Amino acid sequence: MSRPDSDAEQPSVVVECVLDASPEKVWRALTEPQLASDWLDAQPSFGTKRDDAERTFEIIAAQPFVAVSYRWREAADGPLSETVVTVELAPCSDGGTHFRLVHMPAPIQAANGNAPPMLLAA
């Protein structure tokens, strides 16, 4: 996965730190639903709408032990907002993990796709 381009129109939040755990252990915490739910303080959605949760996440891309991206949905005191959270991992020489999180707005998709209409075969 490549790092998101820094675009002035799409503000993002970037957090970097070093964790005292191996990339494999951090990966497990980010990708196993119950562990990720506890760590991210959100509920996994698995592509379904969860009205009972204020925050949900769904893995949309993953490169094992290197990077994972989530579709992040939050409905705190207002309309539902959808963003993308990408976490990049890199091993450190001492056995720890360099952790880089980028939280940015979800890309906007056109409703019609600007394609000509297609007829279904009978």
Side-chain angles (χ1 to χ4, degrees), residues 7-77:
D7 188 310
E9 294 178 35
Q10 293 201 358
S12 59
V13 174
V14 178
V15 176
E16 293 188 64
C17 63
V18 174
L19 302 174
D20 189 23
S22 69
E24 294 80 12
K25 189 171 185 177
V26 176
W27 177 259
R28 185 172 171 245
L30 291 169
T31 58
E32 287 189 17
Q34 186 57 50
L35 296 174
S37 178
D38 291 344
W39 204 33
L40 298 171
D41 191 27
Q43 296 299 310
S45 68
F46 304 113
T48 59
K49 186 177 176 185
R50 292 195 48 141
D51 292 327
D52 62 331
E54 286 187 13
R55 260 183 239 110
T56 63
F57 67 93
E58 177 183 1
I59 294 176
I60 55 174
Q63 186 176 358
F65 310 113
V66 175
V68 62
S69 292
Y70 305 102
R71 177 177 297 115
W72 185 269
R73 293 183 180 110
E74 191 156 351
D77 301 328

